[in-house]
């Protein structure tokens, strides 16, 4: 079965403003995110890509633009199922405000029981994304062969949930996974089991350097802004 590259969109204006974007329209890449996107064709230059699939949201489409310009023979496919989690009433709010919501404790420690007011559950988010991957795996193998490599551009929580699915981890453990903006995660699927061969690879270790303020114990809902 194929190898899937999961690219998280580049850093967005919502990331730098500390907002939980969700499906809020008009969320674009910031200057750093645009630079991350511009570097993507070079990072993937040695890989033949059979297909490119994207979330419909602007920040993902902007992330893929340089790659598609470098590979004019590829036409992107849009799949709503790998779009961001529907955060409902939380969408567009400051993460610093949301940390005091009682639901945030559930999101952190027991996400399989978390459902966002006016939105969807995290369980439903993972299910739709995993179904999309399984369908695309079959389609890519049928059209391009079992050794094909294809790419999906999606969002932090979606990618983390797909990694958990590939590793056989319960969704309640997915907050232990971290994927930075414009990172690449690679999962090789086989008939019996998937293999996680890259996780959140940016080629940049700056985010591991000590900071003036230590990182929080909680995971950042939506994925975080990455290195400063």
């Amino acid at each position: 079965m194929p190898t899937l590259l999961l690219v998280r969109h580049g850093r967005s204006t919502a990331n730098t403003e500390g907002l939980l974007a969700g499906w809020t329209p008009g969320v674009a890449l910031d200057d750093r995110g645009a630079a991350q996107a511009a570097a993507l064709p070079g990072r993937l230059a040695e890989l033949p890509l059979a297909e490119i699939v994207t979330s419909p949201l602007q920040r993902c489409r902007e992330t893929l633009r340089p790659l598609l310009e470098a590979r004019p023979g590829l036409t992107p496919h849009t799949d709503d199922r790998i779009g961001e989690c529907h955060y409902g009433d939380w969408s567009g709010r400051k993460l610093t405000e949301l940390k005091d919501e009682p639901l945030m404790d559930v999101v952190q420690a027991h996400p399989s029981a978390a459902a966002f007011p006016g939105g969807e559950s995290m369980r439903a988010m993972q299910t739709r994304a995993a179904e999309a991957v399984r369908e695309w795996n079959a389609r890519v193998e049928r059209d391009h062969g079992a050794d094909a490599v294809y790419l999906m551009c999606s969002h932090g929580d979606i990618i983390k949930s797909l990694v958990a699915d590939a590793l056989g981890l319960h969704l309640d453990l997915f907050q232990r996974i971290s994927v930075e903006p414009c990172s690449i995660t690679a999962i090789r699927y086989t008939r019996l089991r998937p293999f996680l061969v890259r996780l959140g690879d940016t080629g940049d270790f700056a985010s591991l350097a000590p900071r003036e303020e230590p990182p929080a114990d909680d995971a950042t809902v939506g994925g975080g802004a990455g290195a400063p």
Side-chain angles (χ1 to χ4, degrees), residues 7-11 29-44 58-70 153 181-183:
V7 176
R8 185 182 168 201
H9 62 79
R11 196 174 75 176
L29 299 184
D30 68 5
D31 288 344
R32 182 181 177 89
Q36 291 169 333
L40 196 57
R43 294 169 64 196
L44 297 174
Q58 177 179 340
R59 51 198 183 274
C60 286
R61 291 185 283 107
E62 290 182 354
T63 298
L64 289 178
R65 188 173 297 147
L67 180 61
L68 292 168
E69 290 173 353
C153 187
C182 225
S183 63

Side-chain angles (χ1 to χ4, degrees), residues 20 90 93-106 108 216 218-219 221:
L20 185 62
W90 281 24
R93 292 182 59 188
K94 286 273 191 183
L95 289 165
T96 51
E97 297 173 1
L98 292 171
K99 68 181 179 62
D100 295 325
E101 293 279 354
L103 178 61
M104 184 59 84
D105 291 336
V106 182
Q108 293 294 329
D218 288 340
V221 182

